[in-house]
Amino acid sequence: MWYTKFGNMGDVVLSTRVRLARNLKDKPFPNRADKSQQEEIIDILKAAAEKIENTKFFDLSNMQEREKKALAERHIISPLLTDNKIKRGLVLSDDQRISVMLMEEDHLRIQTMHEGFAIEECLNSAMEVDDILEESLDYAFSEKLGYLTCCPTNVGTGLRISVMVCLPGITMAGRIDSLSRTLSKMGIAVRGIFGEGSQSLGNIYQISNQVTLGISEEETAQKLSEIVSEIISQERSLQQKIYLSDKFRIEDKVMRSLGTLKYSRVMGSEEALGLISDVRFGINLGIIKETNLEKLNEILYSILPAILSASYNVETVADRDIKRAEVIREKLG
């Protein structure tokens, strides 16, 4: 799938995602709709989404819990969409690059994704889907405020652009906190691997815009693109600087991490992601040549807890840790 591929600036950027929040005019927000209203809204949205080519509809109330959580770990749906408090649906393209979440926080969350650094591609794709849906849907829109959303922080464009980056250099240099504070003042958030409220694992962070009001979609994309480009430059420079400052210790660290991944029999997800980050570091520096970043991306999206449970029918933490180590060994050959 797309999320395992090596994309533009793939040494630092794992993936790019664009989301558009939309709601139907004169319909209650999902958390205020009763059961009959939820059914009605789902039917309206599902009918409109049938015009999006090469997609399928999934009733999430009929999907197993671990299957939904596996979709969330792959960032195909948000964690909120995994609960059954409200009737929810998903329209998903065959290549899983386009997902339209029905009855999440808003009636519609249009999401497009791409490997590597690809803000323009994702934004264009999301706007195309938005145009298709708007042909048959009447959106809640204010001439003064823009698109109306459940959460006030999304009012305006309803646009969230998120770039997932792996930053071992900036993290090892002790600069991640200062970077987060600086970006926050610019209206940019730095979050963990699974977004708001999550922690960073394996030095993976999501860089995303916070401001949606008083700024156009194009301006938001341009601003975030410039900021992420600068972060990529800093990360590459710091990786080289750290390596040259203590060459043998860095080589020892990344080779030990590779060895641990190749030969361990039991491994937790947090440890695995940390080791994968070390090996990525080693590949970027030219120290490790026997594997590549695309292979590491494939491993990353094979060993997360819910993905393991869904793929291999393992339920307990202990069994997952054993299966995780086995999967890593097999994929590293």
Side-chain angles (χ1 to χ4, degrees):
M1 283 296 178
W2 69 267
Y3 43 77
T4 68
K5 294 181 179 179
F6 179 87
N8 181 39
M9 308 291 188
D11 57 317
V12 177
V13 181
L14 278 71
S15 61
T16 304
R17 179 180 65 197
V18 164
R19 282 182 181 172
L20 294 173
R22 299 288 187 262
N23 288 282
L24 299 181
K25 185 179 179 180
D26 299 328
K27 298 294 181 183
F29 289 129
N31 62 350
R32 299 297 298 272
D34 60 32
K35 289 295 182 183
S36 63
Q37 290 171 324
Q38 291 170 25
E39 292 278 359
E40 178 190 3
I41 294 169
I42 284 282
D43 288 342
I44 292 171
L45 300 177
K46 179 182 174 184
E50 287 177 351
K51 298 178 183 178
I52 307 171
E53 294 183 355
N54 302 315
T55 61
K56 295 177 182 177
F57 171 77
F58 298 89
D59 183 344
L60 294 181
S61 61
N62 296 329
M63 186 179 289
Q64 289 187 350
E65 192 69 18
R66 64 185 183 184
E67 295 286 349
K68 289 187 287 186
K69 289 182 177 179
L71 289 174
E73 285 181 345
R74 293 187 177 103
H75 305 281
I76 292 168
I77 65 173
S78 67
L80 180 60
L81 219 67
T82 64
D83 76 56
N84 291 320
K85 296 176 183 176
I86 295 172
K87 184 172 180 61
R88 306 181 193 276
L90 171 68
V91 175
L92 184 63
S93 65
D94 294 341
D95 60 6
Q96 299 187 356
R97 292 184 186 273
I98 297 171
S99 64
V100 182
M101 292 172 269
L102 312 183
M103 299 294 283
E104 196 231 30
E105 183 179 65
D106 296 288
H107 295 147
L108 281 169
R109 284 288 175 93
I110 300 164
Q111 177 174 277
T112 57
M113 296 158 285
H114 202 284
E115 66 274 9
F117 192 26
I119 290 178
E120 184 177 356
E121 292 90 332
C122 286
L123 181 58
N124 289 341
S125 179
M127 298 303 286
E128 287 175 8
V129 173
D130 189 37
D131 289 342
I132 292 170
L133 294 173
E134 197 168 14
E135 289 177 1
S136 53
L137 298 177
D138 191 4
Y139 286 153
F141 184 83
S142 163
E143 291 295 335
K144 181 178 179 180
L145 299 174
Y147 293 100
L148 303 180
T149 57
C150 181
C151 182
T153 58
N154 290 322
V155 169
T157 60
L159 171 66
R160 294 288 180 183
I161 302 175
S162 178
V163 182
M164 187 174 296
V165 293
C166 188
L167 305 176
I170 291 174
T171 305
M172 290 170 66
R175 298 188 185 183
I176 194 67
D177 288 339
S178 63
L179 176 65
S180 298
R181 290 192 296 269
T182 299
L183 293 183
S184 180
K185 295 175 183 177
M186 301 169 67
I188 303 296
V190 180
R191 299 189 171 102
I193 184 172
F194 295 115
E196 188 172 2
S198 68
Q199 67 182 108
S200 168
L201 298 173
N203 299 315
I204 296 174
Y205 305 88
Q206 290 190 43
I207 313 294
S208 60
N209 67 296
Q210 292 179 301
V211 180
T212 59
L213 187 62
I215 183 171
S216 71
E217 292 90 343
E218 292 76 17
E219 289 169 334
T220 298
Q222 180 64 28
K223 179 179 179 180
L224 193 65
S225 181
E226 291 173 356
I227 288 171
V228 173
S229 294
E230 178 59 30
I231 291 172
I232 292 169
S233 178
Q234 288 184 26
E235 175 62 25
R236 288 171 171 171
S237 176
L238 281 169
Q239 287 187 17
Q240 291 294 328
K241 185 176 180 180
I242 290 168
Y243 179 41
L244 294 175
S245 68
D246 204 349
K247 187 174 181 179
F248 291 107
R249 287 189 183 276
I250 294 299
E251 289 178 355
D252 182 68
K253 176 181 175 64
V254 301
M255 294 306 293
R256 282 175 183 266
S257 295
L258 178 60
T260 303
L261 288 171
K262 290 179 69 173
Y263 298 110
S264 289
R265 292 299 186 266
V266 180
M267 184 168 293
S269 58
E270 186 170 346
E271 179 188 11
L273 292 177
L275 295 171
I276 288 171
S277 177
D278 290 344
V279 175
R280 286 184 64 92
F281 194 23
I283 292 171
N284 288 342
L285 294 170
I287 301 168
I288 295 175
K289 297 182 174 66
E290 61 190 83
T291 189
N292 57 56
L293 295 177
E294 192 159 294
K295 175 61 67 176
L296 292 186
N297 291 345
E298 180 185 342
I299 292 171
L300 172 65
Y301 286 106
S302 300
I303 63 169
L304 296 172
I307 293 173
L308 277 176
S309 294
S311 300
Y312 299 99
N313 196 31
V314 286
E315 296 296 340
T316 69
V317 173
D319 287 342
R320 285 201 302 265
D321 289 351
I322 292 170
K323 176 55 71 172
R324 180 177 293 108
E326 178 186 327
V327 170
I328 293 171
R329 290 197 310 272
E330 289 177 352
K331 290 186 179 296
L332 284 177

